[in-house]
Amino acid sequence: MNECLFCKIVAKEIPAEIIYESGRTLAFRDTNPQAPTHVLVIPKGHHANAAMLADADDGLADDVLKTAHAVAVQEGVADSGYRVVFNTGPGAGQTIFHVHAHVLGGRDLTWPPG
Ligand code: 5GP
Ligand code: ZN
């Protein structure tokens, strides 16, 4: 049995506020938002992290980035600026090991991040 939380969201076994979907990707709001727009973009297939996604196959990482931009446009933050973050590994704060891009926007984002 697949115990992955985000696979369960893809399978509609766990509810999520889905705001965008493409053939191979899904975007839904983070339940603990860190900015007015905080959306998670995932490939529907399971890949543990960004490196595995990059290795996965033809253009899946591209699809995730295209969906991240489509989300930013839909949320109205594409012009003001937004951030796409892949926390990769526990030391970088990754807690769910189904790769996800955080799309953050709608406020001033400082640099460097914490
Ligand atoms: P990470 O820490 O792995 O980079 O990001 C995981 C993100 O998933 C966190 O921002 C956390 O708030 C979010 N999250 C955890 N559980 C759920 C959930 O059940 N539903 C949704 N939509 N987001 C979740
Ligand atoms: Zn998964």
Side-chain angles (χ1 to χ4, degrees):
M1 194 155 98
N2 188 347
E3 290 302 319
C4 172
L5 179 65
F6 287 174
C7 283
K8 288 182 176 174
I9 286 176
V10 171
K12 306 279 192 326
E13 292 170 14
I14 288 178
E17 191 180 345
I18 294 167
I19 64 156
Y20 190 95
E21 183 168 8
S22 75
R24 298 199 290 177
T25 71
L26 195 65
F28 50 89
R29 293 197 194 283
D30 197 297
T31 46
N32 183 23
Q34 302 301 311
T37 289
H38 188 172
V39 174
L40 302 175
V41 176
I42 65 169
K44 291 178 182 174
H46 184 91
H47 303 281
N49 58 39
M52 303 291 274
L53 174 66
D55 273 349
D57 70 11
D58 50 325
L60 186 56
D62 297 6
D63 282 4
V64 169
L65 287 178
K66 283 175 184 154
T67 295
H69 183 64
V71 163
V73 170
Q74 184 173 294
E75 290 284 301
V77 298
D79 290 339
S80 54
Y82 64 97
R83 189 169 288 167
V84 180
V85 176
F86 291 91
N87 293 329
T88 307
Q94 187 176 6
T95 58
I96 297 182
F97 292 87
H98 180 134
V99 62
H100 47 282
H102 296 259
V103 179
L104 297 149
R107 66 166 170 83
D108 288 335
L109 298 166
T110 57
W111 194 262

